[in-house]
Amino acid sequence: MRAATALEKPRQGWAGLWNISFGFFGIQIGFALQNANMSRVFQSLGSSIDDLPALWIAAPLTGLLVQPIVGHLSDRTWLGRLGRRRPYFLAGAVLATIALLAMPESGGLLMAAMLLWMLDASLNISMEPFRAFVGDMLRKDQHTAGYAVQTAFIGAGAVAGSLFPYVLDHLGVSNLAEPGGIPDTVRFSFRAGGVILLLAVLWTVLTTREYAPEQQAAFHEAEASEASAGARSLAARSKWSALPWIAAGAFAASVVRFWNLEKEVYLLGALLAGYGLAVLAAIGLARAGRGTSMLAGIVGDFSGMPPIMKRLAFVQFFSWSALFIMWINTTPVVAQYHFGSADPASAAYQAAGNWVGVLFSVYNGVAAIAALALLPRLAERLGKARTHAACLVLGASGFAGFMVTRDPDLLIVCEIGIGVAWASILAMPYAILASNLPQSKLGVFMGLFNVFVVLPQLLVATVMGSIMKAFFPGEPIWTMGFAAGTSLVAAFASLRLGRDV
């Protein structure tokens, strides 16, 4: 007998697209305030510059752990009128607001570090379900538009959050502080950001209503048999399959001293070994008939990712590698090669730092515009995969431009290409996933996809420094060449996703 055709979700107008993603504007303000000001807060409270990487490691590590867990739980949540994803939006926003309000009042370095963990965890609790929420609420032919609108809010939130202290300074708020204190510009920025974050998320919570589980089942009838596939494949695996992960972790930790690598590589080793132990435990749970447990479910889903997600993970890994290289190295590159000073105490170096803030605002602003004005039209003509490849090539051109121009004003042109790539990185992979993943596991797969955002960050923060010391000492400009190269690798990998993607 022929299966019944699944129902189609109603088409959303622009007001619906706005309401679905407006909360992300507030979440991104929180991330922007964190990224732009936490090193300043830590150093104001007495941290040395050498300790900053260890304090900052909270951000990627928190996302790596929180997002798959929240995704797994939100797939299985239904709280009546509050729905499936919105409880996590709201809980994360309330906790993040508390952290933002408390951060400037930190009495010491330990309190600030703990609040950073709380802030990053809370932002991730809110952010992860937002990715799946677009897929929940929209039909497939609107996924590109939905993630484009979300990307526009990300860009707008990043610009607003990054410029808060700068604007307050120009409005006459004090940008100075007593030793061990935090400037009023930062203090008021965190307070305003906390309030805006909560209000923006409340807007989405109050103006949207999720489809009930019965409705989602009617929209996606063919997916019922996929719910336990990960657990079945996990139960059939040998426990010896966990050994390579544990061995890789032990090897990574053992070579730190031998090759004089950065100490953060120890964390990479711990993560690899930890995943191996998780695989071992998950196999045991699956064989004992507890395949529906959270650990078995997450590990089974990670090891049983759909083919499209595996290919897209490769694209994601290299595209985010380029981004992290840029974020870490743009200031020293611009200072040394475009402002003529590598001395952090010099006025030229500080002027370069201010200009980098302008450049970063440019690429975020370009991303917000490109997400709405360019990406949907390109995707309609070229397909999502080819659109992503074209945008990544533009990004590679922008990175390469840093190596061929010495005029700091011309770097704005480079940032335009990078901004288009950034828009696509934030939109296209998620639009592709939402159109090709089982709806019943959209949350956990979106959370697991974050692994391929975090791993490049950990590798760039550790291995890149060792490469530069060995081959290009004192020449940070070559990092932009690496960024261009990895972006091109991601572009070619995107073309291999298939013509119909």
Side-chain angles (χ1 to χ4, degrees), residues 330-331 334-336 338-339 341 347-357 359:
T330 299
T331 295
V334 172
Q336 183 170 334
H338 302 87
F339 281 76
S341 177
Y349 188 98
Q350 294 303 321
N354 289 341
W355 186 240
V356 169
L359 294 176

Side-chain angles (χ1 to χ4, degrees), residues 24-68:
F24 225 120
F25 173 74
I27 293 170
Q28 196 60 35
I29 285 179
F31 273 119
L33 287 169
Q34 171 186 295
N35 294 340
N37 296 285
M38 281 313 303
S39 290
R40 185 178 185 180
V41 170
F42 286 145
Q43 288 189 287
S44 296
L45 294 174
S47 171
S48 72
I49 193 168
D50 292 333
D51 291 332
L52 290 179
L55 293 167
W56 266 106
I57 208 70
L61 183 60
T62 302
L64 183 68
L65 297 175
V66 168
Q67 289 209 26

Side-chain angles (χ1 to χ4, degrees), residues 369-387:
I369 296 170
L372 294 178
L374 180 64
L375 294 186
R377 291 190 177 97
L378 275 181
E380 187 175 345
R381 293 185 179 183
L382 303 178
K384 299 184 187 75
R386 290 183 176 183
T387 295

